[in-house]
Amino acid sequence: MADLSTTYLGLQLKNPIVASSSPLSKHVERARKLEEAGISAIVMYSLFEEQIIHESLELDHYLTQGTDTYPEALSYLPDTGSYSLAPDRYLEQVSALKKALKIPVIGSLNGVSKGGWTRYARRIQEAGADALELNLYYMVTDPELKSEDVESAQVDLVAEVKSAITIPLAVKLSPYITSLPNFASRLVQAGADGLVLFNRFYQPDFDLNELEIVHSLDLSTPIEIRLPLRWISILYGKVNADFALTSGVHTTKEVLKSMMAGAKVAMMASSFLQNGERAVAGLLNEMNWWMDTHEYESIKQMQGSMSQRAVREPAAFERANYMKVLSSWRDLP
Ligand SMILES: Cc1cc2nc3c(=O)[nH]c(=O)nc-3n(C[C@H](O)[C@H](O)[C@H](O)COP(=O)(O)O)c2cc1C
């Protein structure tokens, strides 16, 4: 049997299959079933900056305003009633998962600005999390805002969060960055121990009859792996961080590809939400079988073997690939 073990953020993991941030971690029992099935770590659903700020605004509102005013900027948030308790509940859930599970539990904060809300990084650590994932989800809509300023603000945020904790920090980022290698190395200089590629953006749609914006959550398909696969391949060996690949990992093939690109772990959400823990045993068996058949002794031996610096054709990850792909189209006779 091949050695499936890997390390991620200094954590020793028995295999590279990690449950990505999702509602699965809201239920201790579901997380325990995933652990029993064989996953090596779990990332919790995110606690959002808005939830934390909302809690303090709400407190302020009751102390100073009376009940008929309400912070308008936050009115768009879902389910504001239950939001107010969210930060405390989140910390309780970190502790509950830690108590129930033997595998590492990675907390998740989701935010964009520096400020008091980042104190929750320390609280998540105190609640027992083994590491923290910081999700930098930001949509720039202001034409006056320069990319350099947006990126610097995010780098500063990473430094602020890092300075509040002693557990390892991973940063989950967007693919829509002009110079991703530069931004990734700035994040690492600011204290990121790991980079999670990528945030999956849910694009709003239009309902033509109702003339309304429609929000639909479509789960991923395996083809989506290609974007993070390409970028981890490019960044591997250039940026000194542990990489986690998320988006489109559904079968053994995607796990193996993630490793070959240079990821330390492959994170899965859609597949587990669709199929539950049933998929895990099959994935692990198939990985063992594939590695034995192809004479790989360990996952570590595989990691980075198809990265840009390792392959015979490094240009396959660059502009030349685009030209080659376009010219591969054959017109109908
Ligand atoms: C229902 C659902 C909830 C999610 N919630 C979070 C979240 O709270 N924080 C986060 O960083 N990512 C969240 N994600 C994104 C996943 O962690 C993952 O990065 C993304 O779904 C791509 O992986 P997949 O192809 O395996 O689904 C969520 C995904 C789904 C489907």
Side-chain angles (χ1 to χ4, degrees):
M1 291 249 283
D3 174 8
L4 300 188
S5 69
T6 182
T7 56
Y8 177 56
L9 308 174
L11 305 166
Q12 297 291 332
L13 303 182
K14 60 189 172 191
N15 66 60
I17 300 176
V18 170
S20 201
S21 176
S22 88
L24 286 164
S25 51
K26 288 186 176 168
H27 310 281
V28 171
E29 197 43 36
R30 291 201 74 176
R32 225 178 40 76
K33 282 189 176 152
L34 281 166
E35 176 184 65
E36 259 172 36
I39 63 161
S40 65
I42 186 163
V43 186
M44 288 182 66
Y45 60 98
S46 295
L47 177 60
F48 287 78
E49 170 181 350
E50 288 84 347
Q51 291 175 282
I52 298 166
I53 292 172
H54 184 242
E55 183 192 53
S56 57
L57 282 180
E58 215 182 40
L59 186 64
D60 184 50
H61 154 78
Y62 283 119
L63 293 176
T64 61
Q65 307 280 316
T67 50
D68 53 344
T69 55
Y70 211 71
E72 226 175 73
L74 294 169
S75 64
Y76 187 67
L77 289 175
D79 191 10
T80 46
S82 62
Y83 256 43
S84 54
L85 284 171
D88 282 348
R89 247 188 232 153
Y90 192 86
L91 300 176
E92 283 165 20
Q93 187 65 359
V94 178
S95 307
L97 288 171
K98 274 305 291 175
K99 219 164 134 191
L101 306 178
K102 292 189 192 70
I103 54 172
V105 174
I106 301 173
S108 170
L109 274 178
N110 195 319
V112 287
S113 43
K114 282 172 69 179
W117 73 277
T118 60
R119 71 183 181 279
Y120 272 84
R122 170 55 76 103
R123 295 211 181 154
I124 289 172
Q125 171 177 322
E126 287 165 356
D130 297 284
L132 182 69
E133 189 172 286
L134 174 65
N135 185 327
L136 299 174
Y137 191 114
Y138 189 41
M139 286 295 301
V140 183
T141 54
D142 178 357
E144 298 296 315
L145 208 47
K146 297 194 180 93
S147 50
E148 163 59 21
D149 296 337
V150 175
E151 288 174 22
S152 294
Q154 297 193 348
V155 168
D156 289 350
L157 173 61
V158 168
E160 182 171 289
V161 170
K162 178 70 179 179
S163 69
I165 55 176
T166 52
I167 52 175
L169 176 66
V171 176
K172 190 168 183 176
L173 63 153
S174 155
Y176 306 120
I177 302 283
T178 308
S179 174
L180 193 62
N182 177 263
F183 184 53
S185 40
R186 288 180 72 195
L187 293 174
V188 172
Q189 278 160 24
D193 304 290
L195 296 175
V196 184
L197 278 56
F198 285 114
N199 247 325
R200 190 160 173 259
F201 281 70
Y202 298 100
Q203 314 294 358
D205 197 2
F206 294 165
D207 180 327
L208 290 178
N209 292 324
E210 301 295 327
L211 296 183
E212 278 180 357
I213 309 285
V214 183
H215 310 277
S216 63
L217 196 159
D218 301 314
L219 296 177
S220 70
T221 60
I223 199 154
E224 290 179 41
I225 196 181
R226 292 190 190 167
L227 185 63
L229 198 65
R230 170 189 228 164
W231 276 111
I232 291 180
S233 299
I234 291 172
L235 298 179
Y236 180 82
K238 292 183 188 149
V239 174
N240 187 17
D242 282 358
F243 293 103
L245 187 148
T246 170
S247 279
V249 181
H250 286 251
T251 70
T252 308
K253 275 189 195 160
E254 288 84 52
V255 180
L256 295 168
K257 287 178 187 178
S258 305
M259 298 301 107
M260 291 183 184
K264 297 278 182 136
V265 292
M267 293 185 167
M268 301 176 64
S270 290
S271 165
F272 292 161
L273 288 166
Q274 267 168 331
N275 310 313
E277 66 285 351
R278 284 190 306 280
V280 183
L283 282 174
L284 292 171
N285 283 338
E286 223 181 327
M287 269 175 80
N288 262 315
W289 171 82
W290 194 94
M291 288 172 70
D292 285 347
T293 311
H294 294 83
E295 297 178 0
Y296 281 90
E297 282 172 10
S298 70
I299 282 288
K300 287 176 188 138
Q301 174 192 3
M302 191 182 284
Q303 281 164 336
S305 58
M306 294 280 286
S307 62
Q308 187 179 27
R309 69 176 192 179
V311 293
R312 255 181 305 144
E313 262 192 301
F317 293 102
E318 297 176 4
R319 187 176 153 81
N321 173 66
Y322 176 64
M323 295 163 68
K324 208 166 178 168
V325 169
L326 293 187
S327 63
S328 71
W329 178 258
R330 294 275 165 263
D331 275 338
L332 294 175

